[in-house]
């Protein structure tokens, strides 16, 4: 099976490393072909860890890179999404995917939205929690 693993962070991001990346050797040993595409890269993550900053221009460029990866989603049998495809945006892309997909939610990912000060964030979670945004993997 060809799997596109869509993580939030590269290996240096603890949540991605523990939630998904640790399973790569086992999946490959079982004969699966896994391609990993992290939303954020090492430089973005280092800026976040060192300075607490999320540069808007770089973030937008990385979102476009994720969108380009999704344009090739049909080359895979399954999409494995860690948390969400595009944090802090409404979940409209997930509903448009033609390839079967699964989502691995972290325990309290919804708190990124319901505890946020921005009404935009609360609206984004509402689109993620509706059944129309989920599709079962075949």
């Amino acid at each position: 099976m060809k799997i596109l693993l869509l993580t939030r962070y590269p290996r240096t991001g603890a949540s991605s490393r523990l939630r998904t990346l640790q399973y790569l050797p086992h999946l490959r040993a079982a004969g699966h072909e896994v391609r990993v595409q992290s939303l954020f890269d090492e430089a973005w993550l280092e800026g976040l860890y060192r300075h607490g900053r999320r540069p808007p221009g770089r973030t937008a460029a990385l979102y476009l890179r994720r969108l380009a990866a999704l344009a090739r989603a049909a080359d895979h049998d399954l999409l494995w999404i860690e948390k969400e495809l595009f944090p802090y945006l409404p979940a409209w892309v997930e509903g448009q995917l033609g390839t079967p997909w699964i989502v691995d939610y972290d325990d309290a990912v919804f708190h990124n939205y319901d505890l946020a000060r921005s009404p935009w964030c609360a609206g984004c979670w509402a689109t993620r929690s509706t059944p129309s945004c989920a599709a079962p993997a075949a």
Side-chain angles (χ1 to χ4, degrees):
M1 175 180 286
K2 290 177 68 174
I3 301 170
L4 176 58
L5 176 52
L6 299 153
T7 65
R8 182 173 289 187
Y9 303 114
R11 186 161 291 282
T12 53
S15 62
S16 294
R17 186 174 59 248
L18 294 174
R19 303 262 336 153
T20 54
L21 298 174
Q22 69 171 326
Y23 300 109
L24 289 177
H26 305 290
L27 290 165
R28 290 178 175 145
H32 300 291
E33 180 183 327
V34 184
R35 181 175 158 256
V36 178
Q37 196 277 328
S38 61
L39 175 58
F40 301 116
D41 60 15
E42 298 286 347
W44 189 93
L45 193 58
E46 183 176 333
L48 178 62
Y49 285 166
R50 286 183 187 241
H51 309 291
R53 294 191 188 116
R54 296 173 178 94
R58 182 69 184 144
T59 301
L62 293 170
Y63 273 48
L64 288 173
R65 184 180 74 166
R66 167 64 56 93
L67 201 55
L70 290 172
R72 297 183 303 276
D75 296 342
H76 300 85
D77 302 311
L78 179 71
L79 306 180
W80 178 356
I81 302 167
E82 180 195 334
K83 297 180 188 82
E84 53 201 337
L85 290 174
F86 298 102
Y88 304 107
L89 292 180
W92 62 271
V93 173
E94 290 87 340
Q96 307 304 313
L97 297 171
T99 303
W101 52 277
I102 58 171
V103 178
D104 177 18
Y105 283 111
D106 203 342
D107 295 335
V109 69
F110 63 91
H111 284 312
N112 292 337
Y113 300 97
D114 71 345
L115 298 178
R117 288 179 248 165
S118 167
W120 172 261
C121 289
C124 290
W125 179 252
T127 66
R128 293 186 188 294
S129 58
T130 59
S132 64
C133 294

